[in-house]
PDB file of all heavy atoms in Angstrom:
ATOM      1  N   HIS A   1     166.591  63.625  62.235  1.00 98.00           N
ATOM      2  CA  HIS A   1     166.063  62.623  61.303  1.00 98.00           C
ATOM      3  C   HIS A   1     165.288  63.281  60.159  1.00 98.00           C
ATOM      4  O   HIS A   1     165.519  62.978  58.976  1.00 98.00           O
ATOM      5  CB  HIS A   1     165.167  61.648  62.063  1.00 98.00           C
ATOM      6  CG  HIS A   1     164.328  60.778  61.170  1.00 98.00           C
ATOM      7  ND1 HIS A   1     164.865  59.772  60.387  1.00 98.00           N
ATOM      8  CD2 HIS A   1     162.982  60.787  60.909  1.00 98.00           C
ATOM      9  CE1 HIS A   1     163.895  59.188  59.699  1.00 98.00           C
ATOM     10  NE2 HIS A   1     162.746  59.782  59.987  1.00 98.00           N
ATOM     11  N   LEU A   2     164.379  64.206  60.492  1.00 98.00           N
ATOM     12  CA  LEU A   2     163.558  64.843  59.462  1.00 98.00           C
ATOM     13  C   LEU A   2     164.381  65.810  58.598  1.00 98.00           C
ATOM     14  O   LEU A   2     164.131  65.942  57.398  1.00 98.00           O
ATOM     15  CB  LEU A   2     162.382  65.574  60.111  1.00 98.00           C
ATOM     16  CG  LEU A   2     161.329  64.659  60.755  1.00 98.00           C
ATOM     17  CD1 LEU A   2     160.282  65.477  61.503  1.00 98.00           C
ATOM     18  CD2 LEU A   2     160.666  63.766  59.710  1.00 98.00           C
ATOM     19  N   ALA A   3     165.372  66.455  59.203  1.00 98.00           N
ATOM     20  CA  ALA A   3     166.242  67.352  58.428  1.00 98.00           C
ATOM     21  C   ALA A   3     167.030  66.561  57.391  1.00 98.00           C
ATOM     22  O   ALA A   3     167.163  66.978  56.230  1.00 98.00           O
ATOM     23  CB  ALA A   3     167.185  68.102  59.363  1.00 98.00           C
ATOM     24  N   GLN A   4     167.553  65.414  57.801  1.00 97.00           N
ATOM     25  CA  GLN A   4     168.305  64.572  56.865  1.00 97.00           C
ATOM     26  C   GLN A   4     167.389  64.013  55.774  1.00 97.00           C
ATOM     27  O   GLN A   4     167.743  63.983  54.593  1.00 97.00           O
ATOM     28  CB  GLN A   4     168.978  63.432  57.620  1.00 97.00           C
ATOM     29  CG  GLN A   4     169.852  62.540  56.730  1.00 97.00           C
ATOM     30  CD  GLN A   4     170.544  61.450  57.528  1.00 97.00           C
ATOM     31  OE1 GLN A   4     170.075  61.045  58.587  1.00 97.00           O
ATOM     32  NE2 GLN A   4     171.674  60.981  57.018  1.00 97.00           N
ATOM     33  N   LYS A   5     166.192  63.614  56.158  1.00 97.00           N
ATOM     34  CA  LYS A   5     165.247  63.022  55.208  1.00 97.00           C
ATOM     35  C   LYS A   5     164.850  64.007  54.103  1.00 97.00           C
ATOM     36  O   LYS A   5     164.732  63.630  52.930  1.00 97.00           O
ATOM     37  CB  LYS A   5     164.004  62.554  55.964  1.00 97.00           C
ATOM     38  CG  LYS A   5     162.946  61.922  55.069  1.00 97.00           C
ATOM     39  CD  LYS A   5     161.762  61.423  55.907  1.00 97.00           C
ATOM     40  CE  LYS A   5     160.684  60.811  55.008  1.00 97.00           C
ATOM     41  NZ  LYS A   5     159.535  60.302  55.814  1.00 97.00           N
ATOM     42  N   PHE A   6     164.675  65.290  54.468  1.00 97.00           N
ATOM     43  CA  PHE A   6     164.180  66.273  53.497  1.00 97.00           C
ATOM     44  C   PHE A   6     165.237  67.292  53.061  1.00 97.00           C
ATOM     45  O   PHE A   6     164.932  68.237  52.347  1.00 97.00           O
ATOM     46  CB  PHE A   6     162.964  67.002  54.076  1.00 97.00           C
ATOM     47  CG  PHE A   6     161.761  66.120  54.242  1.00 97.00           C
ATOM     48  CD1 PHE A   6     161.389  65.658  55.505  1.00 97.00           C
ATOM     49  CD2 PHE A   6     161.012  65.707  53.144  1.00 97.00           C
ATOM     50  CE1 PHE A   6     160.272  64.836  55.661  1.00 97.00           C
ATOM     51  CE2 PHE A   6     159.907  64.888  53.290  1.00 97.00           C
ATOM     52  CZ  PHE A   6     159.535  64.444  54.552  1.00 97.00           C
ATOM     53  N   GLY A   7     166.474  67.107  53.516  1.00 97.00           N
ATOM     54  CA  GLY A   7     167.567  67.939  53.026  1.00 97.00           C
ATOM     55  C   GLY A   7     167.661  69.327  53.622  1.00 97.00           C
ATOM     56  O   GLY A   7     168.078  70.270  52.951  1.00 97.00           O
ATOM     57  N   PHE A   8     167.343  69.480  54.896  1.00 97.00           N
ATOM     58  CA  PHE A   8     167.458  70.775  55.576  1.00 97.00           C
ATOM     59  C   PHE A   8     168.721  70.801  56.438  1.00 97.00           C
ATOM     60  O   PHE A   8     169.211  69.754  56.876  1.00 97.00           O
ATOM     61  CB  PHE A   8     166.250  71.029  56.481  1.00 97.00           C
ATOM     62  CG  PHE A   8     164.960  71.245  55.752  1.00 97.00           C
ATOM     63  CD1 PHE A   8     164.014  70.230  55.681  1.00 97.00           C
ATOM     64  CD2 PHE A   8     164.692  72.454  55.131  1.00 97.00           C
ATOM     65  CE1 PHE A   8     162.818  70.414  55.019  1.00 97.00           C
ATOM     66  CE2 PHE A   8     163.495  72.656  54.464  1.00 97.00           C
ATOM     67  CZ  PHE A   8     162.561  71.636  54.401  1.00 97.00           C
ATOM     68  N   SER A   9     169.205  71.995  56.690  1.00 97.00           N
ATOM     69  CA  SER A   9     170.308  72.170  57.644  1.00 97.00           C
ATOM     70  C   SER A   9     169.904  73.225  58.666  1.00 97.00           C
ATOM     71  O   SER A   9     169.173  74.162  58.355  1.00 97.00           O
ATOM     72  CB  SER A   9     171.593  72.582  56.923  1.00 97.00           C
ATOM     73  OG  SER A   9     171.418  73.807  56.254  1.00 97.00           O
ATOM     74  N   TYR A  10     170.368  73.057  59.893  1.00 97.00           N
ATOM     75  CA  TYR A  10     170.054  73.983  60.993  1.00 97.00           C
ATOM     76  C   TYR A  10     171.241  73.993  61.931  1.00 97.00           C
ATOM     77  O   TYR A  10     172.185  73.197  61.791  1.00 97.00           O
ATOM     78  CB  TYR A  10     168.779  73.517  61.717  1.00 97.00           C
ATOM     79  CG  TYR A  10     168.906  72.143  62.328  1.00 97.00           C
ATOM     80  CD1 TYR A  10     169.284  71.974  63.658  1.00 97.00           C
ATOM     81  CD2 TYR A  10     168.685  70.990  61.560  1.00 97.00           C
ATOM     82  CE1 TYR A  10     169.424  70.712  64.204  1.00 97.00           C
ATOM     83  CE2 TYR A  10     168.831  69.721  62.100  1.00 97.00           C
ATOM     84  CZ  TYR A  10     169.194  69.595  63.426  1.00 97.00           C
ATOM     85  OH  TYR A  10     169.359  68.348  63.968  1.00 97.00           O
ATOM     86  N   ARG A  11     171.215  74.885  62.900  1.00 96.00           N
ATOM     87  CA  ARG A  11     172.352  74.992  63.815  1.00 96.00           C
ATOM     88  C   ARG A  11     172.128  74.186  65.105  1.00 96.00           C
ATOM     89  O   ARG A  11     172.762  73.181  65.331  1.00 96.00           O
ATOM     90  CB  ARG A  11     172.620  76.459  64.147  1.00 96.00           C
ATOM     91  CG  ARG A  11     173.101  77.262  62.934  1.00 96.00           C
ATOM     92  CD  ARG A  11     173.458  78.692  63.314  1.00 96.00           C
ATOM     93  NE  ARG A  11     174.603  78.729  64.211  1.00 96.00           N
ATOM     94  CZ  ARG A  11     175.068  79.842  64.779  1.00 96.00           C
ATOM     95  NH1 ARG A  11     174.474  81.011  64.554  1.00 96.00           N
ATOM     96  NH2 ARG A  11     176.118  79.797  65.567  1.00 96.00           N
ATOM     97  N   ASN A  12     171.216  74.647  65.950  1.00 96.00           N
ATOM     98  CA  ASN A  12     171.002  73.992  67.242  1.00 96.00           C
ATOM     99  C   ASN A  12     169.511  73.790  67.495  1.00 96.00           C
ATOM    100  O   ASN A  12     168.671  74.495  66.936  1.00 96.00           O
ATOM    101  CB  ASN A  12     171.586  74.847  68.382  1.00 96.00           C
ATOM    102  CG  ASN A  12     173.078  75.047  68.238  1.00 96.00           C
ATOM    103  OD1 ASN A  12     173.834  74.084  68.197  1.00 96.00           O
ATOM    104  ND2 ASN A  12     173.507  76.299  68.153  1.00 96.00           N
ATOM    105  N   VAL A  13     169.210  72.859  68.394  1.00 97.00           N
ATOM    106  CA  VAL A  13     167.842  72.655  68.862  1.00 97.00           C
ATOM    107  C   VAL A  13     167.811  72.936  70.363  1.00 97.00           C
ATOM    108  O   VAL A  13     168.605  72.370  71.122  1.00 97.00           O
ATOM    109  CB  VAL A  13     167.359  71.212  68.604  1.00 97.00           C
ATOM    110  CG1 VAL A  13     165.955  71.009  69.198  1.00 97.00           C
ATOM    111  CG2 VAL A  13     167.350  70.900  67.116  1.00 97.00           C
ATOM    112  N   THR A  14     166.893  73.804  70.775  1.00 97.00           N
ATOM    113  CA  THR A  14     166.732  74.140  72.187  1.00 97.00           C
ATOM    114  C   THR A  14     165.317  73.788  72.622  1.00 97.00           C
ATOM    115  O   THR A  14     164.356  74.110  71.923  1.00 97.00           O
ATOM    116  CB  THR A  14     166.985  75.639  72.433  1.00 97.00           C
ATOM    117  OG1 THR A  14     168.308  75.969  71.985  1.00 97.00           O
ATOM    118  CG2 THR A  14     166.863  75.981  73.909  1.00 97.00           C
ATOM    119  N   ILE A  15     165.215  73.123  73.765  1.00 96.00           N
ATOM    120  CA  ILE A  15     163.912  72.752  74.311  1.00 96.00           C
ATOM    121  C   ILE A  15     163.540  73.758  75.395  1.00 96.00           C
ATOM    122  O   ILE A  15     164.319  74.013  76.319  1.00 96.00           O
ATOM    123  CB  ILE A  15     163.939  71.337  74.919  1.00 96.00           C
ATOM    124  CG1 ILE A  15     164.524  70.328  73.916  1.00 96.00           C
ATOM    125  CG2 ILE A  15     162.545  70.933  75.372  1.00 96.00           C
ATOM    126  CD1 ILE A  15     163.778  70.233  72.611  1.00 96.00           C
ATOM    127  N   LYS A  16     162.342  74.333  75.283  1.00 93.00           N
ATOM    128  CA  LYS A  16     161.890  75.331  76.249  1.00 93.00           C
ATOM    129  C   LYS A  16     160.500  74.979  76.773  1.00 93.00           C
ATOM    130  O   LYS A  16     159.745  74.260  76.121  1.00 93.00           O
ATOM    131  CB  LYS A  16     161.849  76.721  75.603  1.00 93.00           C
ATOM    132  CG  LYS A  16     163.215  77.226  75.150  1.00 93.00           C
ATOM    133  CD  LYS A  16     163.113  78.638  74.595  1.00 93.00           C
ATOM    134  CE  LYS A  16     164.487  79.171  74.224  1.00 93.00           C
ATOM    135  NZ  LYS A  16     164.416  80.569  73.721  1.00 93.00           N
ATOM    136  N   ASN A  17     160.180  75.517  77.931  1.00 91.00           N
ATOM    137  CA  ASN A  17     158.831  75.345  78.484  1.00 91.00           C
ATOM    138  C   ASN A  17     157.943  76.464  77.938  1.00 91.00           C
ATOM    139  O   ASN A  17     157.366  77.251  78.681  1.00 91.00           O
ATOM    140  CB  ASN A  17     158.865  75.367  80.012  1.00 91.00           C
ATOM    141  CG  ASN A  17     157.505  75.069  80.614  1.00 91.00           C
ATOM    142  OD1 ASN A  17     156.612  74.555  79.947  1.00 91.00           O
ATOM    143  ND2 ASN A  17     157.336  75.406  81.874  1.00 91.00           N
ATOM    144  N   ALA A  18     157.849  76.525  76.616  1.00 87.00           N
ATOM    145  CA  ALA A  18     157.082  77.583  75.953  1.00 87.00           C
ATOM    146  C   ALA A  18     155.595  77.265  76.035  1.00 87.00           C
ATOM    147  O   ALA A  18     155.180  76.147  75.739  1.00 87.00           O
ATOM    148  CB  ALA A  18     157.521  77.721  74.499  1.00 87.00           C
ATOM    149  N   LYS A  19     154.804  78.257  76.411  1.00 80.00           N
ATOM    150  CA  LYS A  19     153.366  78.056  76.567  1.00 80.00           C
ATOM    151  C   LYS A  19     152.560  78.977  75.660  1.00 80.00           C
ATOM    152  O   LYS A  19     151.345  79.091  75.804  1.00 80.00           O
ATOM    153  CB  LYS A  19     152.976  78.235  78.029  1.00 80.00           C
ATOM    154  CG  LYS A  19     153.596  77.163  78.925  1.00 80.00           C
ATOM    155  CD  LYS A  19     153.228  77.337  80.371  1.00 80.00           C
ATOM    156  CE  LYS A  19     153.848  76.228  81.221  1.00 80.00           C
ATOM    157  NZ  LYS A  19     153.546  76.375  82.653  1.00 80.00           N
ATOM    158  N   THR A  20     153.250  79.629  74.738  1.00 82.00           N
ATOM    159  CA  THR A  20     152.544  80.472  73.765  1.00 82.00           C
ATOM    160  C   THR A  20     152.840  80.051  72.333  1.00 82.00           C
ATOM    161  O   THR A  20     152.101  80.414  71.429  1.00 82.00           O
ATOM    162  CB  THR A  20     152.933  81.950  73.935  1.00 82.00           C
ATOM    163  OG1 THR A  20     154.357  82.092  73.804  1.00 82.00           O
ATOM    164  CG2 THR A  20     152.498  82.475  75.294  1.00 82.00           C
ATOM    165  N   ARG A  21     153.919  79.277  72.113  1.00 90.00           N
ATOM    166  CA  ARG A  21     154.267  78.833  70.761  1.00 90.00           C
ATOM    167  C   ARG A  21     154.774  77.401  70.819  1.00 90.00           C
ATOM    168  O   ARG A  21     155.514  77.018  71.720  1.00 90.00           O
ATOM    169  CB  ARG A  21     155.354  79.730  70.151  1.00 90.00           C
ATOM    170  CG  ARG A  21     154.997  81.199  70.101  1.00 90.00           C
ATOM    171  CD  ARG A  21     156.134  82.031  69.537  1.00 90.00           C
ATOM    172  NE  ARG A  21     156.293  81.844  68.104  1.00 90.00           N
ATOM    173  CZ  ARG A  21     157.190  82.496  67.363  1.00 90.00           C
ATOM    174  NH1 ARG A  21     158.029  83.335  67.934  1.00 90.00           N
ATOM    175  NH2 ARG A  21     157.252  82.284  66.069  1.00 90.00           N
ATOM    176  N   TRP A  22     154.396  76.610  69.813  1.00 94.00           N
ATOM    177  CA  TRP A  22     154.901  75.248  69.719  1.00 94.00           C
ATOM    178  C   TRP A  22     156.379  75.227  69.354  1.00 94.00           C
ATOM    179  O   TRP A  22     157.116  74.342  69.785  1.00 94.00           O
ATOM    180  CB  TRP A  22     154.128  74.470  68.659  1.00 94.00           C
ATOM    181  CG  TRP A  22     152.699  74.207  68.986  1.00 94.00           C
ATOM    182  CD1 TRP A  22     151.599  74.759  68.387  1.00 94.00           C
ATOM    183  CD2 TRP A  22     152.187  73.316  69.981  1.00 94.00           C
ATOM    184  NE1 TRP A  22     150.445  74.267  68.948  1.00 94.00           N
ATOM    185  CE2 TRP A  22     150.779  73.364  69.929  1.00 94.00           C
ATOM    186  CE3 TRP A  22     152.787  72.460  70.911  1.00 94.00           C
ATOM    187  CZ2 TRP A  22     149.958  72.614  70.770  1.00 94.00           C
ATOM    188  CZ3 TRP A  22     151.972  71.706  71.759  1.00 94.00           C
ATOM    189  CH2 TRP A  22     150.579  71.788  71.674  1.00 94.00           C
ATOM    190  N   GLY A  23     156.797  76.182  68.534  1.00 95.00           N
ATOM    191  CA  GLY A  23     158.192  76.214  68.110  1.00 95.00           C
ATOM    192  C   GLY A  23     158.509  77.510  67.397  1.00 95.00           C
ATOM    193  O   GLY A  23     157.621  78.307  67.090  1.00 95.00           O
ATOM    194  N   SER A  24     159.795  77.720  67.128  1.00 96.00           N
ATOM    195  CA  SER A  24     160.236  78.894  66.380  1.00 96.00           C
ATOM    196  C   SER A  24     161.589  78.593  65.754  1.00 96.00           C
ATOM    197  O   SER A  24     162.295  77.670  66.173  1.00 96.00           O
ATOM    198  CB  SER A  24     160.334  80.133  67.280  1.00 96.00           C
ATOM    199  OG  SER A  24     161.311  79.936  68.295  1.00 96.00           O
ATOM    200  N   CYS A  25     161.924  79.387  64.739  1.00 97.00           N
ATOM    201  CA  CYS A  25     163.218  79.261  64.070  1.00 97.00           C
ATOM    202  C   CYS A  25     163.824  80.645  63.963  1.00 97.00           C
ATOM    203  O   CYS A  25     163.183  81.575  63.460  1.00 97.00           O
ATOM    204  CB  CYS A  25     163.050  78.645  62.677  1.00 97.00           C
ATOM    205  SG  CYS A  25     164.589  78.490  61.746  1.00 97.00           S
ATOM    206  N   SER A  26     165.040  80.814  64.456  1.00 96.00           N
ATOM    207  CA  SER A  26     165.675  82.134  64.468  1.00 96.00           C
ATOM    208  C   SER A  26     166.245  82.475  63.093  1.00 96.00           C
ATOM    209  O   SER A  26     166.312  81.626  62.191  1.00 96.00           O
ATOM    210  CB  SER A  26     166.798  82.161  65.505  1.00 96.00           C
ATOM    211  OG  SER A  26     167.902  81.388  65.051  1.00 96.00           O
ATOM    212  N   ALA A  27     166.672  83.698  62.960  1.00 95.00           N
ATOM    213  CA  ALA A  27     167.269  84.155  61.699  1.00 95.00           C
ATOM    214  C   ALA A  27     168.542  83.385  61.369  1.00 95.00           C
ATOM    215  O   ALA A  27     168.931  83.274  60.206  1.00 95.00           O
ATOM    216  CB  ALA A  27     167.558  85.647  61.783  1.00 95.00           C
ATOM    217  N   THR A  28     169.195  82.845  62.409  1.00 96.00           N
ATOM    218  CA  THR A  28     170.434  82.074  62.201  1.00 96.00           C
ATOM    219  C   THR A  28     170.173  80.565  62.198  1.00 96.00           C
ATOM    220  O   THR A  28     171.091  79.766  62.387  1.00 96.00           O
ATOM    221  CB  THR A  28     171.467  82.433  63.277  1.00 96.00           C
ATOM    222  OG1 THR A  28     170.887  82.243  64.584  1.00 96.00           O
ATOM    223  CG2 THR A  28     171.917  83.884  63.134  1.00 96.00           C
ATOM    224  N   ASN A  29     168.912  80.176  62.042  1.00 97.00           N
ATOM    225  CA  ASN A  29     168.500  78.765  61.926  1.00 97.00           C
ATOM    226  C   ASN A  29     168.702  77.944  63.195  1.00 97.00           C
ATOM    227  O   ASN A  29     168.978  76.743  63.136  1.00 97.00           O
ATOM    228  CB  ASN A  29     169.195  78.096  60.749  1.00 97.00           C
ATOM    229  CG  ASN A  29     168.719  78.657  59.422  1.00 97.00           C
ATOM    230  OD1 ASN A  29     167.654  79.283  59.349  1.00 97.00           O
ATOM    231  ND2 ASN A  29     169.493  78.444  58.373  1.00 97.00           N
ATOM    232  N   ASN A  30     168.561  78.606  64.349  1.00 97.00           N
ATOM    233  CA  ASN A  30     168.446  77.876  65.604  1.00 97.00           C
ATOM    234  C   ASN A  30     166.967  77.551  65.829  1.00 97.00           C
ATOM    235  O   ASN A  30     166.115  78.442  65.706  1.00 97.00           O
ATOM    236  CB  ASN A  30     168.974  78.716  66.773  1.00 97.00           C
ATOM    237  CG  ASN A  30     170.477  78.848  66.737  1.00 97.00           C
ATOM    238  OD1 ASN A  30     171.186  77.859  66.579  1.00 97.00           O
ATOM    239  ND2 ASN A  30     170.979  80.062  66.884  1.00 97.00           N
ATOM    240  N   ILE A  31     166.669  76.316  66.138  1.00 98.00           N
ATOM    241  CA  ILE A  31     165.285  75.883  66.295  1.00 98.00           C
ATOM    242  C   ILE A  31     164.956  75.730  67.776  1.00 98.00           C
ATOM    243  O   ILE A  31     165.678  75.063  68.520  1.00 98.00           O
ATOM    244  CB  ILE A  31     165.046  74.564  65.546  1.00 98.00           C
ATOM    245  CG1 ILE A  31     165.150  74.806  64.031  1.00 98.00           C
ATOM    246  CG2 ILE A  31     163.686  73.966  65.903  1.00 98.00           C
ATOM    247  CD1 ILE A  31     165.007  73.559  63.189  1.00 98.00           C
ATOM    248  N   ASN A  32     163.870  76.370  68.196  1.00 97.00           N
ATOM    249  CA  ASN A  32     163.371  76.255  69.559  1.00 97.00           C
ATOM    250  C   ASN A  32     162.063  75.469  69.528  1.00 97.00           C
ATOM    251  O   ASN A  32     161.186  75.765  68.715  1.00 97.00           O
ATOM    252  CB  ASN A  32     163.115  77.638  70.163  1.00 97.00           C
ATOM    253  CG  ASN A  32     164.356  78.489  70.200  1.00 97.00           C
ATOM    254  OD1 ASN A  32     165.382  78.064  70.727  1.00 97.00           O
ATOM    255  ND2 ASN A  32     164.285  79.676  69.633  1.00 97.00           N
ATOM    256  N   LEU A  33     161.937  74.490  70.408  1.00 97.00           N
ATOM    257  CA  LEU A  33     160.737  73.669  70.458  1.00 97.00           C
ATOM    258  C   LEU A  33     160.187  73.624  71.880  1.00 97.00           C
ATOM    259  O   LEU A  33     160.945  73.565  72.850  1.00 97.00           O
ATOM    260  CB  LEU A  33     161.033  72.250  69.976  1.00 97.00           C
ATOM    261  CG  LEU A  33     161.479  72.105  68.519  1.00 97.00           C
ATOM    262  CD1 LEU A  33     161.882  70.671  68.234  1.00 97.00           C
ATOM    263  CD2 LEU A  33     160.380  72.554  67.556  1.00 97.00           C
ATOM    264  N   SER A  34     158.864  73.645  71.985  1.00 95.00           N
ATOM    265  CA  SER A  34     158.220  73.534  73.292  1.00 95.00           C
ATOM    266  C   SER A  34     158.224  72.082  73.756  1.00 95.00           C
ATOM    267  O   SER A  34     157.948  71.164  72.978  1.00 95.00           O
ATOM    268  CB  SER A  34     156.780  74.042  73.217  1.00 95.00           C
ATOM    269  OG  SER A  34     156.083  73.738  74.407  1.00 95.00           O
ATOM    270  N   LEU A  35     158.509  71.877  75.037  1.00 94.00           N
ATOM    271  CA  LEU A  35     158.472  70.518  75.578  1.00 94.00           C
ATOM    272  C   LEU A  35     157.057  69.931  75.520  1.00 94.00           C
ATOM    273  O   LEU A  35     156.873  68.713  75.580  1.00 94.00           O
ATOM    274  CB  LEU A  35     159.021  70.485  77.005  1.00 94.00           C
ATOM    275  CG  LEU A  35     158.367  71.364  78.076  1.00 94.00           C
ATOM    276  CD1 LEU A  35     157.202  70.644  78.728  1.00 94.00           C
ATOM    277  CD2 LEU A  35     159.391  71.759  79.141  1.00 94.00           C
ATOM    278  N   HIS A  36     156.045  70.790  75.345  1.00 92.00           N
ATOM    279  CA  HIS A  36     154.662  70.322  75.276  1.00 92.00           C
ATOM    280  C   HIS A  36     154.344  69.615  73.961  1.00 92.00           C
ATOM    281  O   HIS A  36     153.248  69.052  73.813  1.00 92.00           O
ATOM    282  CB  HIS A  36     153.702  71.491  75.521  1.00 92.00           C
ATOM    283  CG  HIS A  36     153.867  72.092  76.877  1.00 92.00           C
ATOM    284  ND1 HIS A  36     153.331  71.531  78.002  1.00 92.00           N
ATOM    285  CD2 HIS A  36     154.557  73.190  77.292  1.00 92.00           C
ATOM    286  CE1 HIS A  36     153.661  72.263  79.059  1.00 92.00           C
ATOM    287  NE2 HIS A  36     154.402  73.272  78.645  1.00 92.00           N
ATOM    288  N   LEU A  37     155.291  69.621  73.032  1.00 93.00           N
ATOM    289  CA  LEU A  37     155.130  68.806  71.823  1.00 93.00           C
ATOM    290  C   LEU A  37     154.972  67.326  72.166  1.00 93.00           C
ATOM    291  O   LEU A  37     154.386  66.560  71.394  1.00 93.00           O
ATOM    292  CB  LEU A  37     156.335  68.974  70.898  1.00 93.00           C
ATOM    293  CG  LEU A  37     156.447  70.276  70.105  1.00 93.00           C
ATOM    294  CD1 LEU A  37     157.772  70.322  69.367  1.00 93.00           C
ATOM    295  CD2 LEU A  37     155.296  70.425  69.144  1.00 93.00           C
ATOM    296  N   MET A  38     155.497  66.931  73.322  1.00 92.00           N
ATOM    297  CA  MET A  38     155.430  65.529  73.705  1.00 92.00           C
ATOM    298  C   MET A  38     154.008  65.080  74.058  1.00 92.00           C
ATOM    299  O   MET A  38     153.775  63.901  74.252  1.00 92.00           O
ATOM    300  CB  MET A  38     156.370  65.257  74.895  1.00 92.00           C
ATOM    301  CG  MET A  38     157.833  65.614  74.625  1.00 92.00           C
ATOM    302  SD  MET A  38     158.467  64.898  73.089  1.00 92.00           S
ATOM    303  CE  MET A  38     158.414  63.162  73.471  1.00 92.00           C
ATOM    304  N   ARG A  39     153.070  66.012  74.104  1.00 87.00           N
ATOM    305  CA  ARG A  39     151.672  65.664  74.341  1.00 87.00           C
ATOM    306  C   ARG A  39     150.874  65.557  73.048  1.00 87.00           C
ATOM    307  O   ARG A  39     149.692  65.205  73.054  1.00 87.00           O
ATOM    308  CB  ARG A  39     151.030  66.712  75.262  1.00 87.00           C
ATOM    309  CG  ARG A  39     151.491  66.641  76.697  1.00 87.00           C
ATOM    310  CD  ARG A  39     150.819  65.513  77.451  1.00 87.00           C
ATOM    311  NE  ARG A  39     149.435  65.830  77.732  1.00 87.00           N
ATOM    312  CZ  ARG A  39     148.403  65.072  77.402  1.00 87.00           C
ATOM    313  NH1 ARG A  39     148.601  63.940  76.762  1.00 87.00           N
ATOM    314  NH2 ARG A  39     147.182  65.419  77.694  1.00 87.00           N
ATOM    315  N   LEU A  40     151.517  65.901  71.932  1.00 90.00           N
ATOM    316  CA  LEU A  40     150.837  65.859  70.645  1.00 90.00           C
ATOM    317  C   LEU A  40     150.920  64.465  70.017  1.00 90.00           C
ATOM    318  O   LEU A  40     151.873  63.729  70.270  1.00 90.00           O
ATOM    319  CB  LEU A  40     151.465  66.859  69.676  1.00 90.00           C
ATOM    320  CG  LEU A  40     151.231  68.346  69.920  1.00 90.00           C
ATOM    321  CD1 LEU A  40     152.001  69.162  68.885  1.00 90.00           C
ATOM    322  CD2 LEU A  40     149.758  68.693  69.869  1.00 90.00           C
ATOM    323  N   PRO A  41     149.955  64.125  69.155  1.00 90.00           N
ATOM    324  CA  PRO A  41     150.110  62.907  68.353  1.00 90.00           C
ATOM    325  C   PRO A  41     151.367  63.009  67.487  1.00 90.00           C
ATOM    326  O   PRO A  41     151.813  64.110  67.145  1.00 90.00           O
ATOM    327  CB  PRO A  41     148.841  62.903  67.484  1.00 90.00           C
ATOM    328  CG  PRO A  41     147.878  63.794  68.168  1.00 90.00           C
ATOM    329  CD  PRO A  41     148.694  64.826  68.883  1.00 90.00           C
ATOM    330  N   GLN A  42     151.919  61.867  67.140  1.00 93.00           N
ATOM    331  CA  GLN A  42     153.179  61.826  66.395  1.00 93.00           C
ATOM    332  C   GLN A  42     153.151  62.687  65.133  1.00 93.00           C
ATOM    333  O   GLN A  42     154.079  63.440  64.854  1.00 93.00           O
ATOM    334  CB  GLN A  42     153.503  60.380  66.023  1.00 93.00           C
ATOM    335  CG  GLN A  42     154.778  60.204  65.215  1.00 93.00           C
ATOM    336  CD  GLN A  42     156.012  60.520  66.025  1.00 93.00           C
ATOM    337  OE1 GLN A  42     156.185  59.961  67.094  1.00 93.00           O
ATOM    338  NE2 GLN A  42     156.861  61.411  65.541  1.00 93.00           N
ATOM    339  N   HIS A  43     152.067  62.596  64.342  1.00 95.00           N
ATOM    340  CA  HIS A  43     152.045  63.302  63.059  1.00 95.00           C
ATOM    341  C   HIS A  43     152.011  64.814  63.244  1.00 95.00           C
ATOM    342  O   HIS A  43     152.572  65.550  62.428  1.00 95.00           O
ATOM    343  CB  HIS A  43     150.869  62.820  62.195  1.00 95.00           C
ATOM    344  CG  HIS A  43     149.521  63.216  62.701  1.00 95.00           C
ATOM    345  ND1 HIS A  43     148.955  62.662  63.836  1.00 95.00           N
ATOM    346  CD2 HIS A  43     148.613  64.123  62.221  1.00 95.00           C
ATOM    347  CE1 HIS A  43     147.759  63.187  64.031  1.00 95.00           C
ATOM    348  NE2 HIS A  43     147.530  64.082  63.070  1.00 95.00           N
TER     349      HIS A  43
END
């Protein structure tokens, strides 16, 4: 949704149990997100 809204392109989204980083983006535009984002406020 946010990629379409702001005109970004990416390859894949991977959900991980990351406990040191909220997220990361690889050199090939694969996005990794921590499942702990679900504890954050929406904004």
